[in-house]
Amino acid sequence: QVQLVESGGGLVQAGGSLRLSCVASGSIFSINAMGWYRQAPGKQRELVAGVTRGGGTKYADSAKDRFTISRDNAKNTVYLQMNSLKPEDTAVYYCYVLVNLSKMYWGQGTQVTVSS
């Protein structure tokens, strides 16, 4: 019913930047929240950044000074600008969206690899 298409992952050197994009499509009446989780090998999935319908944002402590989440509600799109990347940011980044009655959907993930 709802599909998420992610892009922007890749391999960068420490200190570099990446911009992730996620576009939601399908049967969407409203988006309650949208953002990004990440999961590194051997670790649990953690919230990196999220934005609510009202515009409130939340960041992981490790990301708040370096990452910026933004959205384009008209396009059902969320972005994650990642600056000053560190090797510990290496993970698969998963877009999520809460739509309609707060039903959660996940993207397939995009790999971010930061070399030292």
Side-chain angles (χ1 to χ4, degrees), residues 62-114:
S62 62
K64 63 182 180 181
D65 295 325
R66 301 179 294 122
F67 295 2
T68 302
I69 190 168
S70 61
R71 64 180 180 178
D72 186 336
N73 288 338
K75 297 182 181 297
N76 294 333
T77 300
V78 66
Y79 307 93
L80 185 66
Q81 179 67 46
M82 304 186 294
N83 298 324
S84 302
L85 283 162
K86 305 174 181 179
E88 48 263 47
D89 295 318
T90 296
V92 178
Y93 285 68
Y94 297 91
C95 180
Y96 74 89
V97 63
L98 273 66
V99 301
N100 304 335
L101 299 178
S102 296
K103 178 74 173 181
M104 178 171 279
Y105 294 88
W106 297 90
Q108 294 296 316
T110 184
Q111 177 70 47
V112 171
T113 302
V114 184

Side-chain angles (χ1 to χ4, degrees), residues 3-31:
Q3 300 176 60
L4 300 176
V5 179
E6 301 155 316
S7 62
L11 173 64
V12 298
Q13 295 180 349
S17 298
L18 285 174
R19 188 191 190 213
L20 306 183
S21 300
C22 177
V23 181
S25 62
S27 183
I28 301 173
F29 179 75
S30 64
I31 294 179

Side-chain angles (χ1 to χ4, degrees), residues 37-40 43-47 94 106-107:
Y37 279 74
R38 68 185 179 189
Q39 187 167 27
K43 300 184 66 176
Q44 289 190 294
R45 187 174 296 191
E46 65 173 348
L47 177 68
Y94 297 91
W106 297 90

